[in-house]
Coordinates of all heavy atoms in Angstrom, one line a residue:
M1 N 44.6 -67.7 38.7 CA 45.3 -68.8 38.0 C 44.7 -69.2 36.7 O 45.4 -69.5 35.8 CB 45.4 -69.9 39.0 CG 46.1 -71.1 38.5 SD 47.9 -70.9 38.5 CE 48.4 -72.4 37.9
R2 N 43.4 -69.1 36.6 CA 42.7 -69.4 35.4 C 43.1 -68.4 34.3 O 43.1 -67.2 34.5 CB 41.2 -69.5 35.6 CG 40.7 -70.6 36.3 CD 39.2 -70.8 36.1 NE 38.8 -72.0 36.8 CZ 38.7 -73.2 36.3 NH1 39.1 -73.3 35.0 NH2 38.3 -74.2 36.9
P3 N 43.3 -68.9 33.1 CA 43.6 -68.0 31.9 C 42.3 -67.2 31.6 O 41.2 -67.7 31.8 CB 44.0 -68.9 30.8 CG 43.6 -70.3 31.2 CD 43.4 -70.3 32.7
D4 N 42.5 -66.1 31.0 CA 41.4 -65.3 30.6 C 40.8 -65.9 29.3 O 41.4 -66.0 28.3 CB 41.8 -63.9 30.2 CG 40.7 -63.0 29.7 OD1 39.5 -63.4 29.8 OD2 41.0 -61.9 29.2
T5 N 39.6 -66.4 29.4 CA 38.9 -67.1 28.3 C 37.8 -66.2 27.6 O 37.1 -66.7 26.8 CB 38.3 -68.4 28.7 OG1 37.4 -68.2 29.8 CG2 39.4 -69.4 29.2
S6 N 37.8 -65.0 28.0 CA 36.7 -64.1 27.5 C 36.9 -63.8 26.0 O 35.9 -63.5 25.3 CB 36.7 -62.8 28.3 OG 37.9 -62.1 28.1
H7 N 38.0 -64.0 25.4 CA 38.2 -63.8 24.0 C 38.6 -65.1 23.3 O 39.3 -65.0 22.3 CB 39.4 -62.7 23.8 CG 39.1 -61.4 24.5 ND1 38.1 -60.6 24.0 CD2 39.6 -60.9 25.6 CE1 38.1 -59.5 24.8 NE2 39.0 -59.7 25.8
W8 N 38.1 -66.2 23.7 CA 38.5 -67.4 23.1 C 38.1 -67.6 21.7 O 38.7 -68.4 21.0 CB 38.0 -68.6 24.0 CG 36.5 -68.9 23.8 CD1 35.5 -68.3 24.6 CD2 35.9 -69.8 22.9 NE1 34.3 -68.8 24.2 CE2 34.5 -69.7 23.2 CE3 36.3 -70.6 21.9 CZ2 33.6 -70.5 22.5 CZ3 35.4 -71.3 21.2 CH2 34.0 -71.3 21.5
R9 N 37.1 -66.9 21.2 CA 36.7 -67.0 19.8 C 37.5 -66.0 18.9 O 37.4 -66.1 17.7 CB 35.3 -66.6 19.7 CG 34.4 -67.7 20.3 CD 32.9 -67.3 20.1 NE 32.0 -68.2 20.7 CZ 31.3 -69.2 20.1 NH1 31.3 -69.3 18.8 NH2 30.5 -70.0 20.8
D10 N 38.3 -65.2 19.5 CA 39.1 -64.2 18.7 C 40.4 -64.9 18.2 O 41.3 -65.2 19.0 CB 39.5 -63.0 19.6 CG 40.3 -62.0 18.9 OD1 40.4 -62.0 17.6 OD2 40.9 -61.1 19.6
N11 N 40.5 -65.2 16.9 CA 41.7 -65.9 16.4 C 43.0 -65.1 16.6 O 44.0 -65.7 16.8 CB 41.5 -66.1 14.9 CG 40.5 -67.2 14.6 OD1 40.3 -68.1 15.4 ND2 39.9 -67.1 13.4
D12 N 42.9 -63.8 16.6 CA 44.1 -63.0 16.9 C 44.7 -63.3 18.3 O 45.9 -63.1 18.4 CB 43.9 -61.5 16.7 CG 43.5 -61.2 15.3 OD1 43.9 -61.9 14.4 OD2 42.9 -60.1 15.1
S13 N 43.9 -63.7 19.2 CA 44.4 -64.0 20.5 C 45.3 -65.2 20.6 O 46.0 -65.4 21.5 CB 43.2 -64.2 21.5 OG 42.4 -63.1 21.6
Y14 N 45.3 -66.0 19.5 CA 46.0 -67.2 19.5 C 47.1 -67.2 18.4 O 47.8 -68.3 18.2 CB 45.1 -68.5 19.3 CG 44.2 -68.6 20.5 CD1 42.9 -68.1 20.5 CD2 44.6 -69.3 21.6 CE1 42.1 -68.2 21.6 CE2 43.8 -69.5 22.7 CZ 42.5 -68.9 22.7 OH 41.7 -69.1 23.8
D15 N 47.4 -66.1 17.8 CA 48.4 -66.0 16.7 C 49.8 -66.5 17.3 O 50.5 -67.1 16.5 CB 48.5 -64.6 16.1 CG 47.4 -64.4 15.1 OD1 46.7 -65.3 14.7 OD2 47.2 -63.2 14.8
Y16 N 50.0 -66.2 18.5 CA 51.4 -66.5 19.1 C 51.6 -68.0 19.1 O 52.7 -68.4 19.2 CB 51.6 -65.8 20.4 CG 50.8 -66.4 21.6 CD1 51.3 -67.3 22.4 CD2 49.4 -66.1 21.8 CE1 50.6 -67.9 23.5 CE2 48.7 -66.7 22.8 CZ 49.3 -67.6 23.6 OH 48.6 -68.1 24.7
F17 N 50.5 -68.8 19.1 CA 50.7 -70.2 19.2 C 51.5 -70.7 18.0 O 52.2 -71.7 18.0 CB 49.3 -70.9 19.2 CG 48.8 -71.2 20.5 CD1 48.5 -70.2 21.4 CD2 48.6 -72.5 20.9 CE1 48.0 -70.5 22.7 CE2 48.1 -72.8 22.2 CZ 47.8 -71.8 23.1
D18 N 51.4 -70.0 16.8 CA 52.0 -70.5 15.6 C 53.6 -70.4 15.7 O 54.3 -71.0 15.0 CB 51.6 -69.6 14.4 CG 50.1 -69.9 14.1 OD1 49.6 -71.0 14.4 OD2 49.5 -69.0 13.5
T19 N 54.0 -69.6 16.6 CA 55.5 -69.4 16.8 C 56.1 -70.0 18.0 O 57.3 -69.9 18.2 CB 55.8 -67.8 16.8 OG1 55.2 -67.2 17.9 CG2 55.4 -67.2 15.5
L20 N 55.2 -70.7 18.8 CA 55.7 -71.3 20.0 C 56.6 -72.5 19.7 O 56.3 -73.3 18.8 CB 54.6 -71.8 20.9 CG 53.8 -70.7 21.6 CD1 52.6 -71.4 22.3 CD2 54.6 -70.0 22.6
P21 N 57.7 -72.7 20.4 CA 58.4 -73.9 20.4 C 57.6 -75.0 21.1 O 56.6 -74.7 21.8 CB 59.7 -73.7 21.1 CG 59.4 -72.6 22.1 CD 58.3 -71.7 21.4
I22 N 58.0 -76.2 20.9 CA 57.2 -77.3 21.5 C 57.0 -77.2 23.0 O 56.0 -77.5 23.6 CB 57.8 -78.7 21.1 CG1 56.8 -79.8 21.5 CG2 59.1 -78.9 21.8 CD1 55.6 -79.9 20.7
E23 N 58.1 -76.7 23.7 CA 58.0 -76.5 25.1 C 57.0 -75.4 25.5 O 56.3 -75.5 26.5 CB 59.4 -76.0 25.7 CG 60.5 -77.0 25.5 CD 61.2 -76.9 24.1 OE1 60.8 -76.1 23.3 OE2 62.1 -77.7 23.9
G24 N 56.9 -74.4 24.6 CA 55.9 -73.3 24.9 C 54.5 -73.8 24.7 O 53.6 -73.5 25.5
L25 N 54.3 -74.6 23.7 CA 53.0 -75.2 23.5 C 52.6 -76.2 24.6 O 51.5 -76.1 25.1 CB 52.9 -76.0 22.1 CG 51.6 -76.6 21.8 CD1 50.5 -75.5 21.7 CD2 51.7 -77.3 20.5
A26 N 53.6 -77.0 25.1 CA 53.3 -77.9 26.2 C 52.9 -77.1 27.4 O 52.0 -77.4 28.2 CB 54.5 -78.7 26.5
W27 N 53.6 -76.0 27.7 CA 53.3 -75.1 28.9 C 51.9 -74.5 28.7 O 51.2 -74.5 29.7 CB 54.4 -74.0 29.0 CG 53.9 -73.0 30.0 CD1 53.7 -71.7 29.8 CD2 53.6 -73.2 31.4 NE1 53.3 -71.1 30.9 CE2 53.2 -72.0 32.0 CE3 53.7 -74.3 32.2 CZ2 52.9 -71.8 33.3 CZ3 53.3 -74.2 33.6 CH2 52.9 -72.9 34.1
E28 N 51.5 -74.0 27.6 CA 50.2 -73.5 27.4 C 49.1 -74.5 27.7 O 48.1 -74.2 28.3 CB 50.0 -72.9 25.9 CG 50.8 -71.7 25.7 CD 50.4 -70.5 26.5 OE1 49.2 -70.4 26.9 OE2 51.3 -69.6 26.7
C29 N 49.4 -75.7 27.3 CA 48.4 -76.8 27.6 C 48.4 -77.2 29.1 O 47.3 -77.3 29.7 CB 48.7 -78.0 26.8 SG 48.4 -77.7 25.0
L30 N 49.6 -77.3 29.7 CA 49.7 -77.7 31.1 C 49.1 -76.7 32.0 O 48.3 -77.0 32.9 CB 51.1 -77.9 31.5 CG 51.4 -78.4 32.9 CD1 50.7 -79.7 33.2 CD2 52.9 -78.5 33.2
R31 N 49.3 -75.4 31.8 CA 48.8 -74.4 32.7 C 47.3 -74.2 32.7 O 46.7 -73.7 33.6 CB 49.5 -73.0 32.4 CG 49.0 -72.3 31.2 CD 49.9 -71.0 30.9 NE 49.3 -70.2 29.8 CZ 48.5 -69.2 30.0 NH1 48.1 -68.9 31.2 NH2 48.0 -68.6 29.0
R32 N 46.7 -74.8 31.6 CA 45.2 -74.7 31.6 C 44.6 -76.0 32.2 O 43.4 -76.1 32.3 CB 44.8 -74.6 30.1 CG 45.1 -73.2 29.5 CD 44.9 -73.2 28.0 NE 44.8 -71.9 27.4 CZ 45.9 -71.2 27.2 NH1 47.1 -71.7 27.4 NH2 45.8 -70.0 26.6
H33 N 45.4 -76.9 32.5 CA 44.9 -78.2 33.0 C 44.5 -78.1 34.5 O 45.4 -77.8 35.4 CB 46.1 -79.3 32.8 CG 45.7 -80.7 33.1 ND1 44.7 -81.3 32.5 CD2 46.3 -81.6 33.9 CE1 44.6 -82.5 33.0 NE2 45.6 -82.7 33.8
E34 N 43.3 -78.4 34.8 CA 42.8 -78.1 36.2 C 43.5 -78.9 37.3 O 43.9 -78.3 38.3 CB 41.3 -78.5 36.3 CG 40.7 -78.3 37.6 CD 40.7 -76.8 38.1 OE1 40.6 -75.9 37.3 OE2 40.8 -76.6 39.3
P35 N 43.9 -80.2 37.1 CA 44.7 -80.8 38.1 C 46.0 -80.1 38.4 O 46.5 -80.0 39.5 CB 44.9 -82.2 37.6 CG 43.7 -82.5 36.7 CD 43.4 -81.1 36.1
Y36 N 46.7 -79.6 37.3 CA 47.9 -78.9 37.5 C 47.7 -77.6 38.3 O 48.5 -77.2 39.1 CB 48.6 -78.6 36.2 CG 49.9 -77.8 36.3 CD1 51.0 -78.5 36.7 CD2 49.9 -76.5 36.1 CE1 52.2 -77.8 36.9 CE2 51.1 -75.7 36.3 CZ 52.2 -76.4 36.7 OH 53.4 -75.7 36.9
Q37 N 46.6 -76.9 37.9 CA 46.3 -75.7 38.6 C 46.1 -75.9 40.1 O 46.5 -75.2 41.0 CB 45.0 -75.1 38.0 CG 45.2 -74.5 36.6 CD 43.9 -74.0 36.0 OE1 42.9 -74.0 36.7 NE2 44.0 -73.6 34.8
R38 N 45.4 -77.0 40.5 CA 45.2 -77.4 41.9 C 46.6 -77.7 42.6 O 46.8 -77.2 43.7 CB 44.3 -78.6 42.0 CG 42.8 -78.3 41.8 CD 41.9 -79.4 42.3 NE 42.2 -80.7 41.6 CZ 41.7 -81.1 40.5 NH1 40.8 -80.4 39.9 NH2 42.0 -82.3 40.0
H39 N 47.4 -78.4 41.9 CA 48.7 -78.7 42.4 C 49.5 -77.4 42.7 O 50.1 -77.2 43.7 CB 49.5 -79.6 41.4 CG 50.9 -80.0 41.9 ND1 51.1 -81.2 42.6 CD2 52.1 -79.4 41.8 CE1 52.4 -81.2 42.8 NE2 53.0 -80.2 42.4
Y40 N 49.5 -76.5 41.7 CA 50.2 -75.2 41.8 C 49.6 -74.4 43.0 O 50.4 -73.8 43.7 CB 50.2 -74.5 40.5 CG 51.1 -73.3 40.6 CD1 52.5 -73.4 40.6 CD2 50.5 -72.0 40.7 CE1 53.3 -72.3 40.7 CE2 51.3 -70.9 40.8 CZ 52.7 -71.0 40.8 OH 53.5 -69.9 40.8
R41 N 48.3 -74.4 43.1 CA 47.7 -73.6 44.2 C 48.1 -74.2 45.6 O 48.4 -73.4 46.5 CB 46.2 -73.7 44.1 CG 45.6 -72.6 43.2 CD 44.1 -72.5 43.4 NE 43.3 -73.7 43.1 CZ 42.9 -74.1 41.9 NH1 43.1 -73.3 40.9 NH2 42.2 -75.2 41.8
A42 N 48.3 -75.5 45.6 CA 48.8 -76.1 46.9 C 50.2 -75.7 47.2 O 50.5 -75.5 48.3 CB 48.7 -77.7 46.8
L43 N 51.0 -75.6 46.1 CA 52.4 -75.1 46.3 C 52.4 -73.7 46.8 O 53.2 -73.3 47.7 CB 53.2 -75.2 45.0 CG 53.5 -76.6 44.5 CD1 54.2 -76.5 43.1 CD2 54.4 -77.3 45.5
L44 N 51.5 -72.9 46.3 CA 51.4 -71.5 46.7 C 51.0 -71.4 48.2 O 51.6 -70.6 49.0 CB 50.5 -70.7 45.8 CG 50.9 -70.4 44.4 CD1 49.8 -69.7 43.6 CD2 52.2 -69.6 44.4
T45 N 50.0 -72.2 48.5 CA 49.5 -72.2 49.9 C 50.6 -72.6 50.9 O 50.7 -72.0 52.0 CB 48.3 -73.2 50.0 OG1 47.3 -72.7 49.1 CG2 47.8 -73.2 51.4
A46 N 51.4 -73.6 50.4 CA 52.5 -74.0 51.3 C 53.8 -73.2 51.2 O 54.8 -73.4 51.8 CB 52.9 -75.5 50.9
R47 N 53.7 -72.1 50.3 CA 54.8 -71.2 50.1 C 56.0 -72.0 49.5 O 57.1 -71.8 49.9 CB 55.2 -70.4 51.3 CG 54.0 -69.5 51.7 CD 54.4 -68.6 52.9 NE 53.3 -67.8 53.3 CZ 53.4 -66.5 53.4 NH1 54.5 -65.9 53.2 NH2 52.3 -65.8 53.8
A48 N 55.7 -73.0 48.7 CA 56.8 -73.9 48.2 C 56.9 -73.8 46.7 O 57.5 -74.7 46.1 CB 56.4 -75.3 48.6
E49 N 56.4 -72.7 46.1 CA 56.4 -72.6 44.6 C 57.8 -72.5 44.1 O 58.0 -72.8 42.9 CB 55.5 -71.4 44.1 CG 56.1 -70.1 44.4 CD 55.7 -69.5 45.7 OE1 55.2 -70.2 46.6 OE2 55.8 -68.3 45.9
K50 N 58.8 -72.1 44.9 CA 60.2 -72.0 44.4 C 61.0 -73.2 44.8 O 62.2 -73.3 44.4 CB 60.8 -70.7 44.9 CG 60.2 -69.5 44.3 CD 60.8 -68.2 44.7 CE 60.1 -67.0 44.1 NZ 60.7 -65.8 44.4
A51 N 60.4 -74.1 45.5 CA 61.2 -75.3 45.9 C 61.3 -76.3 44.7 O 60.4 -76.3 43.9 CB 60.4 -76.0 47.1
P52 N 62.3 -77.0 44.6 CA 62.4 -78.0 43.5 C 61.3 -79.0 43.5 O 60.8 -79.4 44.6 CB 63.7 -78.7 43.8 CG 64.5 -77.8 44.8 CD 63.4 -77.1 45.6
F53 N 60.8 -79.3 42.3 CA 59.7 -80.3 42.2 C 60.3 -81.7 42.5 O 61.4 -82.0 42.1 CB 59.2 -80.3 40.8 CG 57.9 -79.6 40.5 CD1 57.6 -78.5 41.3 CD2 57.1 -80.0 39.5 CE1 56.4 -77.8 41.1 CE2 55.9 -79.4 39.3 CZ 55.6 -78.3 40.1
R54 N 59.6 -82.4 43.3 CA 60.0 -83.8 43.6 C 60.0 -84.6 42.3 O 59.2 -84.3 41.4 CB 59.1 -84.4 44.6 CG 59.2 -83.8 46.0 CD 58.3 -84.5 47.0 NE 57.1 -85.1 46.5 CZ 55.9 -84.6 46.6 NH1 55.7 -83.4 47.2 NH2 54.8 -85.2 46.1
P55 N 60.9 -85.6 42.2 CA 60.9 -86.4 40.9 C 59.5 -87.0 40.5 O 59.2 -87.0 39.3 CB 61.9 -87.6 41.2 CG 62.8 -87.0 42.3 CD 61.9 -86.0 43.1
E56 N 58.7 -87.4 41.5 CA 57.4 -87.9 41.1 C 56.5 -86.8 40.6 O 55.7 -87.1 39.7 CB 56.7 -88.7 42.3 CG 56.6 -87.9 43.6 CD 57.8 -87.9 44.5 OE1 58.9 -88.5 44.1 OE2 57.7 -87.4 45.6
A57 N 56.6 -85.6 41.0 CA 55.8 -84.5 40.5 C 56.3 -84.2 39.1 O 55.5 -83.9 38.2 CB 55.9 -83.3 41.4
Q58 N 57.6 -84.2 38.9 CA 58.2 -84.0 37.5 C 57.6 -85.0 36.5 O 57.2 -84.7 35.4 CB 59.7 -84.1 37.5 CG 60.3 -82.9 38.3 CD 61.8 -83.0 38.3 OE1 62.4 -83.4 37.3 NE2 62.5 -82.6 39.3
R59 N 57.6 -86.3 37.0 CA 57.0 -87.3 36.1 C 55.6 -87.2 35.9 O 55.1 -87.3 34.8 CB 57.3 -88.7 36.7 CG 58.8 -89.2 36.5 CD 58.9 -90.6 36.9 NE 58.6 -90.9 38.3 CZ 59.5 -90.7 39.3 NH1 60.7 -90.3 39.1 NH2 59.1 -91.0 40.6
L60 N 54.8 -86.8 36.9 CA 53.4 -86.6 36.8 C 53.0 -85.6 35.7 O 52.1 -85.8 34.9 CB 52.8 -86.2 38.1 CG 51.3 -85.9 38.2 CD1 50.5 -87.1 37.8 CD2 50.9 -85.4 39.5
W61 N 53.7 -84.4 35.8 CA 53.4 -83.3 34.8 C 54.3 -83.3 33.6 O 54.1 -82.5 32.7 CB 53.5 -82.0 35.6 CG 52.7 -82.0 36.8 CD1 53.1 -81.8 38.1 CD2 51.2 -82.1 36.8 NE1 52.0 -81.9 38.9 CE2 50.8 -82.1 38.2 CE3 50.2 -82.4 35.9 CZ2 49.5 -82.2 38.6 CZ3 48.9 -82.5 36.3 CH2 48.6 -82.4 37.6
G62 N 55.2 -84.3 33.5 CA 56.1 -84.3 32.3 C 57.1 -83.2 32.3 O 57.5 -82.7 31.2
L63 N 57.5 -82.7 33.5 CA 58.4 -81.6 33.5 C 59.8 -82.0 33.8 O 60.0 -82.9 34.6 CB 58.0 -80.6 34.7 CG 56.6 -80.0 34.5 CD1 56.2 -79.3 35.8 CD2 56.5 -79.1 33.3
R64 N 60.7 -81.4 33.1 CA 62.2 -81.7 33.4 C 62.8 -80.3 33.5 O 62.6 -79.5 32.6 CB 62.8 -82.5 32.3 CG 62.2 -84.0 32.3 CD 62.9 -84.8 31.3 NE 62.4 -84.3 30.0 CZ 63.0 -84.5 28.8 NH1 64.1 -85.2 28.8 NH2 62.5 -84.0 27.7
F65 N 63.7 -80.1 34.4 CA 64.3 -78.9 34.6 C 65.8 -79.0 34.5 O 66.4 -80.0 35.1 CB 64.0 -78.3 36.0 CG 62.5 -78.1 36.2 CD1 61.7 -79.0 36.9 CD2 61.9 -77.0 35.6 CE1 60.4 -78.8 37.0 CE2 60.5 -76.8 35.8 CZ 59.8 -77.7 36.5
P66 N 66.5 -78.1 33.7 CA 67.9 -78.3 33.6 C 68.6 -78.0 35.0 O 68.1 -77.2 35.8 CB 68.3 -77.2 32.6 CG 67.1 -76.3 32.5 CD 65.9 -77.0 33.0
G67 N 69.7 -78.7 35.2 CA 70.5 -78.5 36.4 C 69.8 -79.2 37.5 O 70.1 -79.1 38.7

């Protein structure tokens, strides 16, 4: 789950950040956030990763899903 940080000093590894929409940048930050990683691991353990997020979880992580 942890991102590969072995090349964190390589500027070329982050060139794609310049073209990300705001949602993409938000996702890049969220997926690196340890509490979110723990929450996601708990979903995987419960085999609930495809279940809809409860409204309180959506508010906690700032996620909104269409439909």
Side-chain angles (χ1 to χ4, degrees):
M1 179 78 177
R2 285 195 177 272
D4 177 12
T5 58
S6 61
H7 302 289
W8 73 271
R9 291 181 186 253
D10 178 16
N11 286 336
D12 293 340
S13 296
Y14 294 94
D15 282 346
Y16 72 99
F17 268 64
D18 294 335
T19 60
L20 286 175
I22 192 69
E23 298 86 359
L25 182 58
W27 168 242
E28 289 296 331
C29 294
L30 180 61
R31 73 185 188 94
R32 289 169 169 79
H33 188 55
E34 181 62 34
Y36 177 79
Q37 292 175 4
R38 284 193 303 269
H39 180 95
Y40 187 72
R41 276 194 301 272
L43 291 175
L44 291 176
T45 300
R47 298 182 181 232
E49 72 272 17
K50 293 184 181 181
F53 260 30
R54 295 185 326 260
E56 54 275 7
Q58 292 180 35
R59 283 190 298 277
L60 177 64
W61 305 118
L63 299 172
R64 291 180 292 162
F65 301 99

